[in-house]
Amino acid sequence: MKTFIALLRAVNVAGTGKLPMDVLRSMCEQTGFANVRTYIQSGNVVFDTAMPASAVQRELAARLQDYCGKPVGVILRDGEQMRSVLARNPFPHADPAKVAVLFLDAAPAPDAVQAAKGQTDEEVVTGDLEVFIHYPSGMGRSKLRLPAATVGTARNLNTVARLASMALGGK
């Protein structure tokens, strides 16, 4: 069995994609996933399964589409990958609540930083399968738009750390 973290795109954010976490847990359990637990209301679920990552992603995406009536992006990581994201944070001295990680299924485009629109004081750095964004003035005030955000899903570093801990055996 392997422990995965599924990060869902655009659920329970600004009134879009309403998905209660008890429904998500039940959906995962019905898929055969074990030790299913969610974290906050923004579509984070940690579970164990013997299924390969590609099958997990396909199955969960299909069930979510059936429930929501539209495609829901599913980004998968494991605990070690999340720990690696934390270790590679290019903004180690920034408030973790003001650093977001935009998780992607593929490497960011080479021009991901240059393609940003509305950038003021935000700092943007690409990673392996993610984009790190420091919002010194806060995420809520930012007008930053990244093309990669249309296919990825973002979590702040506090959430990333909590999910890594959950996947690696923490409570």
Side-chain angles (χ1 to χ4, degrees):
M1 296 278 261
K2 182 169 181 138
T3 302
F4 285 105
I5 302 158
L7 306 166
L8 308 185
R9 185 178 185 291
V11 297
N12 300 340
V13 179
T16 64
K18 186 78 173 133
L19 177 65
M21 293 301 97
D22 60 333
V23 170
L24 177 58
R25 278 189 302 276
S26 177
M27 189 180 299
C28 288
E29 289 165 351
Q30 290 169 8
T31 305
F33 304 155
N35 195 21
V36 178
R37 54 243 188 253
T38 57
Y39 178 67
I40 62 177
Q41 296 295 312
S42 58
N44 307 297
V45 60
V46 180
F47 53 86
D48 301 331
T49 183
M51 293 171 64
S54 59
V56 168
Q57 193 170 30
R58 251 190 335 271
E59 182 68 24
L60 191 51
R63 287 181 180 263
L64 287 162
Q65 182 165 346
D66 286 347
Y67 178 84
C68 295
K70 63 180 183 176
V72 174
V74 177
I75 307 285
L76 283 184
R77 295 294 190 268
D78 64 30
E80 289 301 327
Q81 289 170 313
M82 289 298 248
R83 187 186 322 209
S84 174
V85 166
L86 291 169
R88 291 181 288 113
N89 169 24
F91 311 112
H93 302 295
D95 176 353
K98 292 185 176 186
V99 176
V101 180
L102 176 62
F103 290 92
L104 305 168
D105 270 332
D111 68 342
V113 176
Q114 295 80 6
K117 303 284 187 222
Q119 188 171 2
T120 55
D121 63 346
E122 302 89 355
E123 299 172 88
V124 182
V125 175
T126 57
D128 297 339
L129 293 171
E130 62 278 321
V131 177
F132 296 89
I133 309 142
H134 177 215
Y135 295 92
S137 299
M139 292 178 205
R141 296 174 180 235
S142 178
K143 303 292 184 212
L144 178 68
R145 298 293 169 256
L146 294 170
T150 63
V151 295
T153 187
R155 302 295 187 274
N156 74 32
L157 282 182
N158 290 326
T159 297
V160 172
R162 181 70 179 117
L163 291 169
S165 174
M166 288 171 69
L168 295 169
K171 301 240 187 238

